[in-house]
Amino acid sequence: MSHHIYQTEGYVCGGKNIGEANRLLFLFTKDLGMITATVQGIRLLKSKLRYSLQDLSYAGISLVKGKNSWKVTNAHQIFQADLLETGREKYRLRLRIFSLLRRLLAGEEKNEKLFTLLHTGLTQLSQIENTDVQGVKNFECLLVLRVLHNLGYCGDSEPLREFFSPESANDWNPVLLDKISLHRPHALSTINASLSQSQL
């Protein structure tokens, strides 16, 4: 019996080892939302998928729907967040944002706006200097706010409304990042309150 092969792109948000050589991955995908998928033999040295689906990578992924879960049949890496190249602060930011997505996204549900938000944001993150610690912090604050707003965990009350407007939803320019730094205490308070109310 043949299975339909789904083609999508997505982020590897982490995973856990199962069996002797398999791995269960948490994938935030463009077309399927957050899913879990098994990869057979990925921990073997001879595995062709070993380097394509490393944690924090962005990849083109082929999947089939099994009886109980998704299975990865093929993948090619598009981007890998390497600690030495991205810098410690940006690497840790990715770890935290993917952990947050795993926490907030329950069940499979396509969210193209959230995917675009994340993708444009992480693409723009590479433009921030690795040594600009404050710039990375401002970026993370804005990204987390927008993720929570997209998922309905925080409103768009003043003075944060301008960061959620349709015109600026995927805007990450330096001027906007400087603006978020001026509202950082209120933004962090909003983030903490939203996460507390989510009870996740």
Side-chain angles (χ1 to χ4, degrees), residues 87-110:
R88 182 171 297 175
E89 293 301 320
K90 291 196 283 188
Y91 186 85
R92 288 177 174 174
L93 185 158
R94 288 175 179 272
L95 285 173
R96 289 191 293 269
I97 197 66
F98 288 153
S99 176
L100 179 65
L101 289 175
R102 286 172 57 180
R103 175 181 169 186
L104 296 177
L105 298 177
E108 299 172 12
E109 184 177 348
K110 180 179 178 179

PDB file of all heavy atoms in Angstrom, residues 87-110:
ATOM      1  N   GLY A  87      26.962  32.680  17.270  1.00  0.00           N
ATOM      2  CA  GLY A  87      27.245  33.323  18.545  1.00  0.00           C
ATOM      3  C   GLY A  87      26.362  32.747  19.637  1.00  0.00           C
ATOM      4  O   GLY A  87      25.259  32.267  19.387  1.00  0.00           O
ATOM      5  N   ARG A  88      26.862  32.795  20.860  1.00  0.00           N
ATOM      6  CA  ARG A  88      26.179  32.151  21.987  1.00  0.00           C
ATOM      7  C   ARG A  88      24.794  32.728  22.242  1.00  0.00           C
ATOM      8  O   ARG A  88      23.839  31.988  22.468  1.00  0.00           O
ATOM      9  CB  ARG A  88      27.045  32.273  23.239  1.00  0.00           C
ATOM     10  CG  ARG A  88      26.456  31.598  24.459  1.00  0.00           C
ATOM     11  CD  ARG A  88      27.455  31.564  25.598  1.00  0.00           C
ATOM     12  NE  ARG A  88      28.609  30.766  25.228  1.00  0.00           N
ATOM     13  CZ  ARG A  88      29.694  30.639  26.007  1.00  0.00           C
ATOM     14  NH1 ARG A  88      29.762  31.282  27.161  1.00  0.00           N
ATOM     15  NH2 ARG A  88      30.704  29.891  25.610  1.00  0.00           N
ATOM     16  N   GLU A  89      24.661  34.059  22.218  1.00  0.00           N
ATOM     17  CA  GLU A  89      23.382  34.677  22.563  1.00  0.00           C
ATOM     18  C   GLU A  89      22.295  34.312  21.560  1.00  0.00           C
ATOM     19  O   GLU A  89      21.167  33.988  21.931  1.00  0.00           O
ATOM     20  CB  GLU A  89      23.529  36.203  22.650  1.00  0.00           C
ATOM     21  CG  GLU A  89      24.399  36.684  23.793  1.00  0.00           C
ATOM     22  CD  GLU A  89      23.887  36.237  25.144  1.00  0.00           C
ATOM     23  OE1 GLU A  89      22.653  36.249  25.354  1.00  0.00           O
ATOM     24  OE2 GLU A  89      24.710  35.865  26.006  1.00  0.00           O
ATOM     25  N   LYS A  90      22.619  34.356  20.272  1.00  0.00           N
ATOM     26  CA  LYS A  90      21.628  34.035  19.251  1.00  0.00           C
ATOM     27  C   LYS A  90      21.310  32.533  19.242  1.00  0.00           C
ATOM     28  O   LYS A  90      20.172  32.136  18.960  1.00  0.00           O
ATOM     29  CB  LYS A  90      22.104  34.507  17.878  1.00  0.00           C
ATOM     30  CG  LYS A  90      22.124  36.021  17.747  1.00  0.00           C
ATOM     31  CD  LYS A  90      22.227  36.490  16.306  1.00  0.00           C
ATOM     32  CE  LYS A  90      23.610  36.351  15.771  1.00  0.00           C
ATOM     33  NZ  LYS A  90      23.771  36.984  14.437  1.00  0.00           N
ATOM     34  N   TYR A  91      22.298  31.722  19.558  1.00  0.00           N
ATOM     35  CA  TYR A  91      22.077  30.280  19.636  1.00  0.00           C
ATOM     36  C   TYR A  91      21.115  29.962  20.782  1.00  0.00           C
ATOM     37  O   TYR A  91      20.164  29.191  20.625  1.00  0.00           O
ATOM     38  CB  TYR A  91      23.415  29.569  19.839  1.00  0.00           C
ATOM     39  CG  TYR A  91      23.338  28.061  19.783  1.00  0.00           C
ATOM     40  CD1 TYR A  91      23.385  27.394  18.554  1.00  0.00           C
ATOM     41  CD2 TYR A  91      23.236  27.299  20.947  1.00  0.00           C
ATOM     42  CE1 TYR A  91      23.324  26.006  18.491  1.00  0.00           C
ATOM     43  CE2 TYR A  91      23.166  25.920  20.891  1.00  0.00           C
ATOM     44  CZ  TYR A  91      23.208  25.280  19.661  1.00  0.00           C
ATOM     45  OH  TYR A  91      23.148  23.915  19.591  1.00  0.00           O
ATOM     46  N   ARG A  92      21.355  30.590  21.939  1.00  0.00           N
ATOM     47  CA  ARG A  92      20.480  30.373  23.092  1.00  0.00           C
ATOM     48  C   ARG A  92      19.079  30.905  22.845  1.00  0.00           C
ATOM     49  O   ARG A  92      18.094  30.338  23.322  1.00  0.00           O
ATOM     50  CB  ARG A  92      21.094  31.026  24.336  1.00  0.00           C
ATOM     51  CG  ARG A  92      22.313  30.290  24.875  1.00  0.00           C
ATOM     52  CD  ARG A  92      22.918  31.029  26.049  1.00  0.00           C
ATOM     53  NE  ARG A  92      23.995  30.260  26.663  1.00  0.00           N
ATOM     54  CZ  ARG A  92      24.764  30.713  27.635  1.00  0.00           C
ATOM     55  NH1 ARG A  92      24.584  31.947  28.107  1.00  0.00           N
ATOM     56  NH2 ARG A  92      25.717  29.959  28.146  1.00  0.00           N
ATOM     57  N   LEU A  93      18.981  32.006  22.115  1.00  0.00           N
ATOM     58  CA  LEU A  93      17.671  32.553  21.772  1.00  0.00           C
ATOM     59  C   LEU A  93      16.865  31.508  20.985  1.00  0.00           C
ATOM     60  O   LEU A  93      15.679  31.297  21.250  1.00  0.00           O
ATOM     61  CB  LEU A  93      17.836  33.827  20.947  1.00  0.00           C
ATOM     62  CG  LEU A  93      16.571  34.623  20.576  1.00  0.00           C
ATOM     63  CD1 LEU A  93      16.937  36.072  20.264  1.00  0.00           C
ATOM     64  CD2 LEU A  93      15.830  34.027  19.379  1.00  0.00           C
ATOM     65  N   ARG A  94      17.499  30.877  20.015  1.00  0.00           N
ATOM     66  CA  ARG A  94      16.811  29.856  19.229  1.00  0.00           C
ATOM     67  C   ARG A  94      16.358  28.699  20.115  1.00  0.00           C
ATOM     68  O   ARG A  94      15.237  28.186  19.955  1.00  0.00           O
ATOM     69  CB  ARG A  94      17.722  29.342  18.114  1.00  0.00           C
ATOM     70  CG  ARG A  94      17.927  30.335  16.985  1.00  0.00           C
ATOM     71  CD  ARG A  94      18.941  29.825  15.974  1.00  0.00           C
ATOM     72  NE  ARG A  94      19.129  30.757  14.889  1.00  0.00           N
ATOM     73  CZ  ARG A  94      18.409  30.791  13.769  1.00  0.00           C
ATOM     74  NH1 ARG A  94      17.442  29.911  13.591  1.00  0.00           N
ATOM     75  NH2 ARG A  94      18.633  31.680  12.831  1.00  0.00           N
ATOM     76  N   LEU A  95      17.204  28.279  21.034  1.00  0.00           N
ATOM     77  CA  LEU A  95      16.823  27.208  21.947  1.00  0.00           C
ATOM     78  C   LEU A  95      15.574  27.594  22.739  1.00  0.00           C
ATOM     79  O   LEU A  95      14.641  26.801  22.882  1.00  0.00           O
ATOM     80  CB  LEU A  95      17.967  26.905  22.922  1.00  0.00           C
ATOM     81  CG  LEU A  95      19.173  26.137  22.380  1.00  0.00           C
ATOM     82  CD1 LEU A  95      20.270  26.093  23.433  1.00  0.00           C
ATOM     83  CD2 LEU A  95      18.769  24.714  21.984  1.00  0.00           C
ATOM     84  N   ARG A  96      15.553  28.824  23.234  1.00  0.00           N
ATOM     85  CA  ARG A  96      14.421  29.269  24.053  1.00  0.00           C
ATOM     86  C   ARG A  96      13.143  29.415  23.232  1.00  0.00           C
ATOM     87  O   ARG A  96      12.059  29.028  23.692  1.00  0.00           O
ATOM     88  CB  ARG A  96      14.760  30.591  24.747  1.00  0.00           C
ATOM     89  CG  ARG A  96      15.784  30.462  25.857  1.00  0.00           C
ATOM     90  CD  ARG A  96      15.892  31.739  26.678  1.00  0.00           C
ATOM     91  NE  ARG A  96      16.437  32.851  25.913  1.00  0.00           N
ATOM     92  CZ  ARG A  96      17.722  33.151  25.842  1.00  0.00           C
ATOM     93  NH1 ARG A  96      18.619  32.407  26.475  1.00  0.00           N
ATOM     94  NH2 ARG A  96      18.146  34.195  25.144  1.00  0.00           N
ATOM     95  N   ILE A  97      13.241  29.969  22.028  1.00  0.00           N
ATOM     96  CA  ILE A  97      12.027  30.190  21.239  1.00  0.00           C
ATOM     97  C   ILE A  97      11.443  28.865  20.758  1.00  0.00           C
ATOM     98  O   ILE A  97      10.216  28.675  20.739  1.00  0.00           O
ATOM     99  CB  ILE A  97      12.286  31.148  20.043  1.00  0.00           C
ATOM    100  CG1 ILE A  97      10.954  31.685  19.498  1.00  0.00           C
ATOM    101  CG2 ILE A  97      13.083  30.474  18.942  1.00  0.00           C
ATOM    102  CD1 ILE A  97      10.202  32.569  20.437  1.00  0.00           C
ATOM    103  N   PHE A  98      12.287  27.898  20.400  1.00  0.00           N
ATOM    104  CA  PHE A  98      11.761  26.593  19.980  1.00  0.00           C
ATOM    105  C   PHE A  98      11.167  25.836  21.162  1.00  0.00           C
ATOM    106  O   PHE A  98      10.178  25.115  21.017  1.00  0.00           O
ATOM    107  CB  PHE A  98      12.864  25.766  19.311  1.00  0.00           C
ATOM    108  CG  PHE A  98      13.247  26.273  17.943  1.00  0.00           C
ATOM    109  CD1 PHE A  98      14.508  26.049  17.430  1.00  0.00           C
ATOM    110  CD2 PHE A  98      12.342  26.980  17.169  1.00  0.00           C
ATOM    111  CE1 PHE A  98      14.863  26.515  16.170  1.00  0.00           C
ATOM    112  CE2 PHE A  98      12.680  27.455  15.912  1.00  0.00           C
ATOM    113  CZ  PHE A  98      13.946  27.217  15.406  1.00  0.00           C
ATOM    114  N   SER A  99      11.764  26.000  22.338  1.00  0.00           N
ATOM    115  CA  SER A  99      11.202  25.395  23.545  1.00  0.00           C
ATOM    116  C   SER A  99       9.834  26.003  23.852  1.00  0.00           C
ATOM    117  O   SER A  99       8.896  25.292  24.248  1.00  0.00           O
ATOM    118  CB  SER A  99      12.157  25.609  24.728  1.00  0.00           C
ATOM    119  OG  SER A  99      11.600  25.110  25.922  1.00  0.00           O
ATOM    120  N   LEU A 100       9.710  27.322  23.658  1.00  0.00           N
ATOM    121  CA  LEU A 100       8.434  27.992  23.885  1.00  0.00           C
ATOM    122  C   LEU A 100       7.376  27.488  22.905  1.00  0.00           C
ATOM    123  O   LEU A 100       6.221  27.243  23.297  1.00  0.00           O
ATOM    124  CB  LEU A 100       8.611  29.506  23.726  1.00  0.00           C
ATOM    125  CG  LEU A 100       7.346  30.356  23.910  1.00  0.00           C
ATOM    126  CD1 LEU A 100       6.843  30.263  25.344  1.00  0.00           C
ATOM    127  CD2 LEU A 100       7.619  31.816  23.530  1.00  0.00           C
ATOM    128  N   LEU A 101       7.734  27.317  21.645  1.00  0.00           N
ATOM    129  CA  LEU A 101       6.781  26.820  20.664  1.00  0.00           C
ATOM    130  C   LEU A 101       6.300  25.413  21.015  1.00  0.00           C
ATOM    131  O   LEU A 101       5.105  25.104  20.888  1.00  0.00           O
ATOM    132  CB  LEU A 101       7.413  26.821  19.270  1.00  0.00           C
ATOM    133  CG  LEU A 101       7.647  28.193  18.630  1.00  0.00           C
ATOM    134  CD1 LEU A 101       8.377  28.039  17.308  1.00  0.00           C
ATOM    135  CD2 LEU A 101       6.331  28.936  18.431  1.00  0.00           C
ATOM    136  N   ARG A 102       7.201  24.573  21.461  1.00  0.00           N
ATOM    137  CA  ARG A 102       6.818  23.223  21.873  1.00  0.00           C
ATOM    138  C   ARG A 102       5.846  23.273  23.043  1.00  0.00           C
ATOM    139  O   ARG A 102       4.935  22.448  23.149  1.00  0.00           O
ATOM    140  CB  ARG A 102       8.059  22.410  22.248  1.00  0.00           C
ATOM    141  CG  ARG A 102       8.889  21.967  21.064  1.00  0.00           C
ATOM    142  CD  ARG A 102      10.204  21.344  21.493  1.00  0.00           C
ATOM    143  NE  ARG A 102      10.018  20.215  22.382  1.00  0.00           N
ATOM    144  CZ  ARG A 102      11.017  19.498  22.897  1.00  0.00           C
ATOM    145  NH1 ARG A 102      12.277  19.812  22.594  1.00  0.00           N
ATOM    146  NH2 ARG A 102      10.779  18.483  23.687  1.00  0.00           N
ATOM    147  N   ARG A 103       6.039  24.243  23.895  1.00  0.00           N
ATOM    148  CA  ARG A 103       5.181  24.397  25.073  1.00  0.00           C
ATOM    149  C   ARG A 103       3.792  24.916  24.708  1.00  0.00           C
ATOM    150  O   ARG A 103       2.785  24.475  25.274  1.00  0.00           O
ATOM    151  CB  ARG A 103       5.867  25.366  26.045  1.00  0.00           C
ATOM    152  CG  ARG A 103       5.077  25.744  27.282  1.00  0.00           C
ATOM    153  CD  ARG A 103       5.897  26.722  28.112  1.00  0.00           C
ATOM    154  NE  ARG A 103       5.130  27.341  29.172  1.00  0.00           N
ATOM    155  CZ  ARG A 103       5.592  28.302  29.957  1.00  0.00           C
ATOM    156  NH1 ARG A 103       6.824  28.744  29.793  1.00  0.00           N
ATOM    157  NH2 ARG A 103       4.819  28.830  30.901  1.00  0.00           N
ATOM    158  N   LEU A 104       3.716  25.832  23.755  1.00  0.00           N
ATOM    159  CA  LEU A 104       2.456  26.511  23.450  1.00  0.00           C
ATOM    160  C   LEU A 104       1.630  25.843  22.364  1.00  0.00           C
ATOM    161  O   LEU A 104       0.407  25.997  22.332  1.00  0.00           O
ATOM    162  CB  LEU A 104       2.738  27.959  23.026  1.00  0.00           C
ATOM    163  CG  LEU A 104       3.364  28.881  24.071  1.00  0.00           C
ATOM    164  CD1 LEU A 104       3.647  30.249  23.453  1.00  0.00           C
ATOM    165  CD2 LEU A 104       2.448  29.032  25.286  1.00  0.00           C
ATOM    166  N   LEU A 105       2.277  25.133  21.446  1.00  0.00           N
ATOM    167  CA  LEU A 105       1.552  24.565  20.306  1.00  0.00           C
ATOM    168  C   LEU A 105       1.172  23.114  20.585  1.00  0.00           C
ATOM    169  O   LEU A 105       1.982  22.210  20.467  1.00  0.00           O
ATOM    170  CB  LEU A 105       2.405  24.649  19.037  1.00  0.00           C
ATOM    171  CG  LEU A 105       2.774  26.056  18.585  1.00  0.00           C
ATOM    172  CD1 LEU A 105       3.686  26.009  17.372  1.00  0.00           C
ATOM    173  CD2 LEU A 105       1.526  26.882  18.284  1.00  0.00           C
ATOM    174  N   ALA A 106      -0.081  22.938  20.976  1.00  0.00           N
ATOM    175  CA  ALA A 106      -0.580  21.592  21.278  1.00  0.00           C
ATOM    176  C   ALA A 106      -1.418  21.092  20.105  1.00  0.00           C
ATOM    177  O   ALA A 106      -2.342  21.762  19.658  1.00  0.00           O
ATOM    178  CB  ALA A 106      -1.418  21.627  22.552  1.00  0.00           C
ATOM    179  N   GLY A 107      -1.079  19.917  19.622  1.00  0.00           N
ATOM    180  CA  GLY A 107      -1.842  19.350  18.512  1.00  0.00           C
ATOM    181  C   GLY A 107      -1.404  19.913  17.172  1.00  0.00           C
ATOM    182  O   GLY A 107      -0.780  20.965  17.096  1.00  0.00           O
ATOM    183  N   GLU A 108      -1.745  19.205  16.123  1.00  0.00           N
ATOM    184  CA  GLU A 108      -1.360  19.606  14.776  1.00  0.00           C
ATOM    185  C   GLU A 108      -2.362  20.621  14.226  1.00  0.00           C
ATOM    186  O   GLU A 108      -3.548  20.333  14.117  1.00  0.00           O
ATOM    187  CB  GLU A 108      -1.307  18.374  13.862  1.00  0.00           C
ATOM    188  CG  GLU A 108      -0.290  17.338  14.298  1.00  0.00           C
ATOM    189  CD  GLU A 108      -0.399  16.064  13.481  1.00  0.00           C
ATOM    190  OE1 GLU A 108      -1.097  16.084  12.440  1.00  0.00           O
ATOM    191  OE2 GLU A 108       0.194  15.062  13.884  1.00  0.00           O
ATOM    192  N   GLU A 109      -1.885  21.792  13.921  1.00  0.00           N
ATOM    193  CA  GLU A 109      -2.745  22.821  13.341  1.00  0.00           C
ATOM    194  C   GLU A 109      -1.886  23.799  12.555  1.00  0.00           C
ATOM    195  O   GLU A 109      -0.972  24.410  13.106  1.00  0.00           O
ATOM    196  CB  GLU A 109      -3.515  23.571  14.436  1.00  0.00           C
ATOM    197  CG  GLU A 109      -4.494  24.582  13.890  1.00  0.00           C
ATOM    198  CD  GLU A 109      -5.298  25.264  14.990  1.00  0.00           C
ATOM    199  OE1 GLU A 109      -5.253  24.801  16.143  1.00  0.00           O
ATOM    200  OE2 GLU A 109      -5.971  26.265  14.687  1.00  0.00           O
ATOM    201  N   LYS A 110      -2.184  23.926  11.287  1.00  0.00           N
ATOM    202  CA  LYS A 110      -1.433  24.846  10.438  1.00  0.00           C
ATOM    203  C   LYS A 110      -1.620  26.277  10.919  1.00  0.00           C
ATOM    204  O   LYS A 110      -2.726  26.708  11.213  1.00  0.00           O
ATOM    205  CB  LYS A 110      -1.904  24.712   8.990  1.00  0.00           C
ATOM    206  CG  LYS A 110      -1.195  25.619   8.008  1.00  0.00           C
ATOM    207  CD  LYS A 110      -1.708  25.403   6.598  1.00  0.00           C
ATOM    208  CE  LYS A 110      -1.038  26.327   5.599  1.00  0.00           C
ATOM    209  NZ  LYS A 110      -1.511  26.109   4.220  1.00  0.00           N
TER     210      LYS A 110
END
